[in-house]
Structures are given as structure tokens and as C-alpha cells.
Amino acid sequence: MAMVSPSLLSADFGNLQRDVEMLNQSECDWFHLDVMDGVFVPNISFGFPVMQAMAQHAQKPLDVHLMIVQPEKFVKEVKALGAKVMNVHYEACTHLHRVVQQIKAEGMMAGVTLNPHTPVSVLEEILPDLDLVMLMSVNPGFGGQRFIEHSLDKTKRLRDLVERTGSKALIEIDGGVNRETGKLLVEAGADVLVAGSAVFGAKDPAEEIKFLRSL
Ligand code: DX5
Ligand code: ZN
């Protein structure tokens, strides 16, 4: 059984409330919100006013993924949304340990995300402090990209490292997740699957979520 966190990046922004309500009625576990700043990644998505609007209607915990430089500036804003998970990129944080402590001090789950080229070994010292590690299985910035194959082995390596360090961190995977890659990822040790285009591009998004959850 995997947890599923559908990415609202693939929602219809002209009908955001409708899509949020659809997810409320579905079996999804979290709402995955992708924030992009045009600096850390080559795209801009949405920011706090839009997320506040979504949070107002959302009936599931928010899983906020910050693809921005200096994410430590926004810990309080993310907390004010009522977010459950705050994901920051390893590559965006010079003082990662401090940011993680700040997130936890606000009562949120601290998640650290790795780009495809960043080895899981960089987290060895900090893993016991983390509530979640997210692996990017595409280069961040866009929905609908192709799954990077080596993410499967990387997931296994992360699972081993989590066990070895006695960490309680959940393993979340983001990018190119569909029925096929989702199954392989869960076998490799993933706990949470993010899915954007697979869910919102499906004929029946609720059914797609149900399927991914059953993996
Ligand atoms: C990519 C985002 C993802 C994206 C996933 O930068 O972090 O969350 O929405 O989209 P799919 O599932 O279509 O790859
Ligand atoms: Zn994401």
C-alpha cells in the first residue's frame, strides 16, 4: 500500500476549486503543491496567494515542495498554510541542518528533496533528523516528463540507508510516476508516490489514485 500525493501542477488552473474538490472526494493521502521561482528551476508555477486559496478548500494534508532558492525564508508562510510536510531541496540549502530544525520547530514534517544527480549518501549525517526524503525522478521544473530509470536503484539505496541509520523518514518519489513506474518504485521501497499527469491526465482521476494506492 503506497500513499499517494497528487500534484496540483497538472490541475486545471481555471477550475482549481473543482479539481481540489475532486481530490477531496478521492482516496488520495496528501495534496502535493509545487512552488517554482524561475531561479532554482527554469519555470514559475504558483505562490502563496494561490496556495492559500487551495488550502481553504483542501480537506487533506498539504505536502509543499519548494523548488526555490533560500526556502528557509518561507518556513512561517508554509506553516501558515497549515501544511503537514515542507520539502526543501538539498541543493538549495547551505545550512540544511538549520532549515530542518526550523521546519520541525513549527511542527511540520521536515522533508529534504534530492535532484536526480545528487547521491543519497549526502544525507547520511542528517537522515535520523528527517521525517521524509523525496527523490526527484525527473529534473524538477515541469510536469509530464519521462521517468529517469536510475531512480529505481537510487530508491533501493535510500531504503538501505534509511534502515542502516535507524531513520524513520518516509521515502517519497516525484516525477514520471505512473502505474508501471509506481509499482517498481513501491517494490524498491517507496512509501509515497507523487503523481501529476498520471492522475489529472487519466479518464477517471479518482480511479487512478485508487490504483496507485493499491500498489
Ligand atoms: C516537477 C514537480 C512534480 C510534477 C510531477 O518539477 O515537482 O511534482 O508535478 O509531475 P508528473 O507526475 O507529471 O511527472
Ligand atoms: Zn513536486
Side-chain angles (χ1 to χ4, degrees), residues 180-200:
E180 291 74 42
T181 56
K183 181 171 191 294
L184 298 171
L185 285 165
V186 172
E187 284 166 8
D191 300 300
V192 188
L193 301 174
V194 176
S197 49
V199 165
F200 287 95

Side-chain angles (χ1 to χ4, degrees), residues 5-11 13 31-38 41 43-48 50-51 54 62-68 81 85 87 89 113 134 136 138-144 172-175 194-197 200:
S5 190
S7 166
L8 274 295
L9 189 64
S10 293
F13 291 167
F31 282 19
H32 185 83
L33 304 183
D34 288 301
V35 184
M36 303 177 188
D37 66 355
V41 288
N43 195 10
I44 297 176
S45 55
F46 44 72
F48 287 100
V50 175
M51 288 199 286
M54 291 196 261
L62 305 181
D63 165 30
V64 178
H65 176 197
L66 297 175
M67 287 163 273
I68 63 173
L81 289 173
V85 185
N87 263 304
H89 269 258
T113 304
M134 188 162 81
M136 290 309 305
V138 298
N139 283 294
F142 304 92
E172 181 170 21
I173 313 291
D174 186 5
V194 176
S197 49
F200 287 95

